Amino acid sequence: MPKTLKQLVQLGQMRAPEASIEDISYLISERAELTPSEFQLKQDSEASSELEKQLQKDFKKLARNVSPQYILGYAWFLGYKIMVQRGVLIPRFETEELVEWALDHLHDGMKILDLGTGSGAIMVALAKEASKKGIKDLTLYASDISDSALRTCEENFLTFDLDVTVRKANVLIGLEKFDLIISNPPYIRPEEKNLMDSNVLQNEPEEALFGGKDGLEFYRRFAKQVREHLTDEGQFFLEFGFSEKDDLAKLFAEELPDFKVEFKDDLAGKPRMVYGKWQK
């Protein structure tokens, strides 16, 4: 007898008891091609046998702590379906706010770098949204230290028909000058590990998550290198951990005294983003 969506959620809870109901529901709704609201409204709808067979396989992976996005092979970011695979960071919705802030500073003809691009989600969203705004002639670059990330981002750029120059680089070493640099770098502190979901720790790359003993290793290196990689009108946008604002403000004041630095809270009211530009 066919199962309803509600019964499939219950089955998911039985097969993957450690998984959250949010992850189970997300997986089912994506497989059923339903929006979150449609999924809630159709709880009593019967699922096809094909959907149930697929979910039986998915629940086995979920029980092994595989993230739903890795099971599906994609994640949504600012409305774009971004291919992801294990070993590449799953883009977070908080980073969408960083992209939207940077979008307000884009204009025709800029040369842009997505530093530590991972899946390429930031670059895809930035470039496609800029195109919607009529911003033209952008020169796009993306860099990462991970070979698997570079392969994944290239596939996403191809899918979205973007002409992006992809480079392997450790922070900014070996790269050129840009009008805008944007990055969601690693910033989690080791002691925060016990607060993280086990599926994140088991699936996502440590080098994309953890930022050294105090979470600021990337920012120290970035601050020492960035002058050589920004044009005269150059600017940067970085995400950071919400508890790191004071330390970052001190770091940038010491290393980049000739820069205007501005911090911004996310929608939850936590400081999560920083903008920097040469002072005139």
Side-chain angles (χ1 to χ4, degrees):
M1 186 177 174
K3 288 184 171 59
T4 64
L5 294 180
K6 184 189 292 183
Q7 289 171 327
L8 285 175
V9 172
Q10 293 167 348
L11 179 65
Q13 290 176 301
M14 280 177 19
R15 296 288 164 83
E18 300 300 316
S20 69
I21 192 166
E22 290 81 12
D23 280 354
I24 294 167
S25 299
Y26 174 72
L27 198 50
I28 298 170
S29 62
E30 285 295 316
R31 289 297 193 198
E33 298 183 352
L34 298 172
T35 66
S37 56
E38 287 171 338
F39 178 71
Q40 293 303 322
L41 290 169
K42 296 186 176 184
Q43 284 291 292
D44 295 322
S45 299
E46 291 185 348
S48 67
S49 59
E50 290 79 12
L51 175 60
E52 186 176 341
K53 283 177 188 173
Q54 178 62 60
L55 287 167
Q56 294 275 13
K57 297 176 187 174
D58 292 342
F59 293 153
K60 287 180 182 177
K61 294 178 182 177
L62 206 56
R64 297 199 302 269
N65 255 337
V66 181
S67 300
Q69 292 87 347
Y70 290 139
I71 295 172
L72 294 165
Y74 63 84
W76 291 100
F77 184 77
L78 212 63
Y80 297 96
K81 194 176 184 177
I82 305 295
M83 188 192 87
V84 294
Q85 57 187 343
R86 290 174 82 167
V88 176
L89 190 75
I90 296 169
R92 268 59 171 184
F93 71 89
E94 294 94 344
T95 309
E96 294 176 351
E97 297 178 54
L98 184 74
V99 172
E100 290 175 332
W101 194 18
L103 269 169
D104 293 336
H105 292 74
L106 286 194
H107 57 75
D108 293 355
M110 291 184 89
K111 186 176 179 181
I112 300 167
L113 171 68
D114 177 8
L115 174 59
T117 190
S119 65
I122 286 176
M123 180 54 79
V124 168
L126 197 63
K128 300 304 280 187
E129 292 299 303
S131 179
K132 287 181 186 176
K133 288 187 163 195
I135 300 169
K136 304 184 295 293
D137 302 322
L138 298 177
T139 304
L140 308 177
Y141 281 73
S143 69
D144 206 290
I145 197 170
S146 160
D147 290 330
S148 59
L150 293 173
R151 287 192 295 271
T152 302
C153 76
E154 285 186 316
E155 288 195 47
N156 279 315
F157 299 151
L158 190 63
T159 298
F160 287 96
D161 195 28
L162 295 177
D163 182 11
V164 183
T165 300
V166 175
R167 296 273 177 81
K168 185 171 185 177
N170 191 344
V171 192
L172 291 163
I173 295 170
L175 299 176
E176 45 213 91
K177 289 194 176 188
F178 301 92
D179 300 307
L180 187 146
I181 297 172
I182 185 168
S183 183
N184 174 24
Y187 54 74
I188 299 171
R189 298 171 180 171
E191 63 264 26
E192 295 172 324
K193 215 176 210 182
N194 61 341
L195 303 174
M196 298 170 68
D197 289 341
S198 57
N199 62 358
V200 173
L201 293 170
Q202 289 182 28
N203 294 278
E204 300 194 53
E206 285 203 359
E207 66 270 19
L209 295 168
F210 296 100
K213 63 182 186 297
D214 61 355
L216 300 178
E217 184 177 322
F218 167 89
Y219 305 92
R220 276 192 289 272
R221 296 172 68 188
F222 178 87
K224 288 185 183 301
Q225 297 172 19
V226 70
R227 276 193 183 80
E228 304 301 315
H229 298 279
L230 283 180
T231 60
D232 290 346
E233 298 295 321
Q235 51 199 307
F236 64 79
F237 293 83
L238 308 175
E239 188 172 326
F240 60 88
F242 67 86
S243 64
E244 297 167 348
K245 178 183 174 181
D246 292 345
D247 290 335
L248 269 185
K250 182 181 177 184
L251 172 65
F252 287 144
E254 291 172 357
E255 295 287 346
L256 301 172
D258 46 350
F259 274 66
K260 173 192 174 187
V261 174
E262 178 184 335
F263 289 88
K264 188 174 183 180
D265 292 350
D266 63 15
L267 291 175
K270 294 179 178 178
R272 290 296 301 273
M273 297 164 274
V274 61
Y275 161 81
K277 185 177 182 180
W278 296 103
Q279 289 196 65
K280 294 297 181 186

